[in-house]
Amino acid sequence: MPEAVGVRKAQAQRTRSGVLAAASAVFVDQGVQAPIRDIAERAGVGVGTIYRNFPTRADLVTAVYRHQIDTCTALAPQLLEESGSPFTALTCWADAFVEFLVTKHGLGAALGSGDPGLENLHALMLDTLVPACETLLDACVAADELSPGITAYVLMRAIGNLCITGPDYDQADAKHMVATLLDGCRRKA
């Protein structure tokens, strides 16, 4: 009997992961207000399966972004370990953060919607991403690659403002401007 429970649990986790991946892709294409049926179709499941796993849209949006925030947060120490310099790690992390921000069509409106299920999402972003960025900044300052006094929150807000895309300003433009911003923060020899 325990083996059957383990198989069902693994299948449920695969289904949940598939729904999150599908929702993430649909949110990029259509925004967070995309029809649930589009997400179900992309995941290859019924609408009921989505509601069984995520009873409200806020639950689904929160789960998708929690996963992406956790991924971006975990990237900071990995990049510090793998990169040739802390500034290279910061630059790579900023690229991932730009990707995260630019693909969040409708998230700002959803956060401001007053939906109590989404209230904790902004705090989650601040509580996890700011310390991750702070770690990178501290390493850059310690390596004398970055001017001291730049705070993670202010840098992330600046990056966020540079990531507001529109008809004549796309993701490539945002990445270029963020690279320019980071270069301006870099300590010159």
Side-chain angles (χ1 to χ4, degrees):
M1 187 76 136
E3 188 174 321
V5 172
V7 169
R8 282 189 301 232
K9 193 172 187 176
Q11 178 58 40
Q13 184 56 42
R14 280 192 298 277
T15 299
R16 181 179 169 83
S17 294
V19 167
L20 288 174
S24 178
V26 170
F27 289 168
V28 168
D29 294 341
Q30 301 177 38
V32 296
Q33 294 303 323
I36 296 297
R37 69 180 173 279
D38 291 357
I39 297 167
E41 183 179 311
R42 189 170 209 144
V45 300
V47 171
T49 298
I50 293 183
Y51 283 116
R52 198 168 30 261
N53 283 278
F54 308 100
T56 68
R57 179 177 297 276
D59 293 334
L60 179 59
V61 169
T62 299
V64 166
Y65 294 121
R66 177 181 296 274
H67 174 71
Q68 293 175 335
I69 288 168
D70 290 346
T71 300
C72 195
T73 300
L75 190 58
Q78 176 187 341
L79 289 169
L80 273 174
E81 186 176 310
E82 296 172 359
S83 298
S85 76
F87 190 80
T88 300
L90 175 64
T91 301
C92 292
W93 188 86
D95 283 345
F97 185 55
V98 168
E99 180 80 21
F100 170 78
L101 293 173
V102 170
T103 59
K104 303 303 169 255
H105 306 298
L107 182 58
L111 289 173
S113 69
D115 185 331
L118 295 173
E119 288 175 354
N120 66 343
L121 198 52
H122 188 257
L124 174 68
M125 289 172 64
L126 293 177
D127 292 345
T128 57
L129 289 175
V130 170
C133 183
E134 210 164 72
T135 300
L136 293 163
L137 291 176
D138 290 346
C140 286
V141 170
D144 205 28
E145 294 182 318
L146 195 70
S147 300
I150 299 168
T151 66
Y153 180 73
V154 170
L155 178 63
M156 290 174 64
R157 286 214 41 188
I159 291 171
N161 288 333
L162 291 172
C163 289
I164 300 170
T165 58
D168 296 331
Y169 184 83
D170 62 12
Q171 184 171 349
D173 295 319
K175 282 191 172 203
H176 174 73
M177 292 309 299
V178 169
T180 302
L181 169 70
L182 290 175
D183 189 52
C185 295
R186 191 168 198 176
R187 182 159 249 174
K188 307 300 184 217

